[in-house]
Amino acid sequence: MPLLKELGTAVRQRRQEMGLSQQQLASLVDLSRATVNSLETGKLNDLSSNRIERLANELGFAVGLVGTRRSKDKSAIDAAARIASVPYTKELPAAVLLESLKEGVVPPGYIPHLRTLLQEAPVAILANVADELRQSHDVPVPDTWKRMRMLAGVLKCDRRLWQSMPI
């Protein structure tokens, strides 16, 4: 499959999982909605490597599109819990993160941790977490993105990603 067709398919799937419209994604990555549409429908003949890289990075793909970037850790939840804990003395247990993302409720002592995760973690990590929740706990990927978006709103995250996604 040619690169742009593979990218278009992956972009459409990730965009839909994240609950973004084509216009919202276009704004997030500084492309036109028409370009995003043409890419997703396989009608785009050319896209600069800079634009491909920006689009891939925002959606958490490796530029070569051999799949999403994966942590060397066994569990995306474990990796995300460690990322969320870096600035804090008290570590966020992976089980607490898992329940917070499944239920949409964060224990008060871990609110700063989850805010750090949603504000600063690479999109690839968040996508891996959504995939792991689907595989291990039968939580649909779009539901995890909706829950992360809702939590980002409650926790007042000002990351451009969350501003681009509908509540």
Side-chain angles (χ1 to χ4, degrees):
M1 179 182 273
L3 176 63
L4 285 180
K5 288 190 187 277
E6 185 177 347
L7 179 61
T9 300
V11 165
R12 180 183 330 102
Q13 180 179 347
R14 180 63 53 82
R15 177 184 62 76
Q16 290 173 341
E17 289 172 354
M18 293 172 74
L20 293 171
S21 68
Q22 287 182 342
Q23 182 60 54
Q24 290 164 326
L25 176 60
S27 296
L28 183 64
V29 297
D30 296 324
L31 294 174
S32 70
R33 190 208 55 81
T35 298
V36 171
N37 180 270
S38 293
L39 176 65
E40 288 186 0
T41 58
K43 297 176 183 171
L44 192 65
N45 294 321
D46 192 28
L47 191 63
S48 74
S49 60
N50 287 339
R51 289 180 175 175
I52 290 172
E53 183 176 19
R54 184 171 58 232
L55 185 59
N57 285 339
E58 285 294 333
L59 294 176
F61 296 122
V63 174
L65 285 182
V66 293
T68 56
R69 294 178 184 152
R70 296 281 179 197
S71 169
K72 293 179 183 175
D73 298 306
K74 286 184 178 179
S75 166
I77 301 285
D78 290 340
R82 279 194 303 282
I83 288 169
S85 298
V86 168
Y88 306 103
T89 306
K90 183 178 178 183
E91 191 169 312
L92 172 64
V96 171
L97 175 59
L98 175 67
E99 285 306 308
S100 295
L101 293 175
K102 283 174 55 181
E103 304 300 326
V105 178
V106 184
Y110 297 107
I111 288 172
H113 297 74
L114 196 61
R115 185 176 192 288
T116 295
L117 178 70
L118 295 173
Q119 188 71 12
E120 299 177 11
V123 174
I125 295 290
L126 300 176
N128 289 345
V129 165
D131 287 341
E132 186 173 314
L133 282 169
R134 177 186 49 79
Q135 292 171 0
S136 302
H137 301 282
D138 294 321
V139 178
V141 171
D143 290 357
T144 299
W145 282 106
K146 286 178 189 173
R147 204 159 292 107
M148 286 190 288
R149 181 174 56 247
M150 181 271 305
L151 287 167
V154 169
L155 299 174
K156 300 192 182 344
C157 294
D158 60 1
R159 184 178 190 168
R160 189 173 174 199
L161 170 68
W162 305 122
Q163 305 308 312
S164 300
M165 297 173 80
I167 293 182

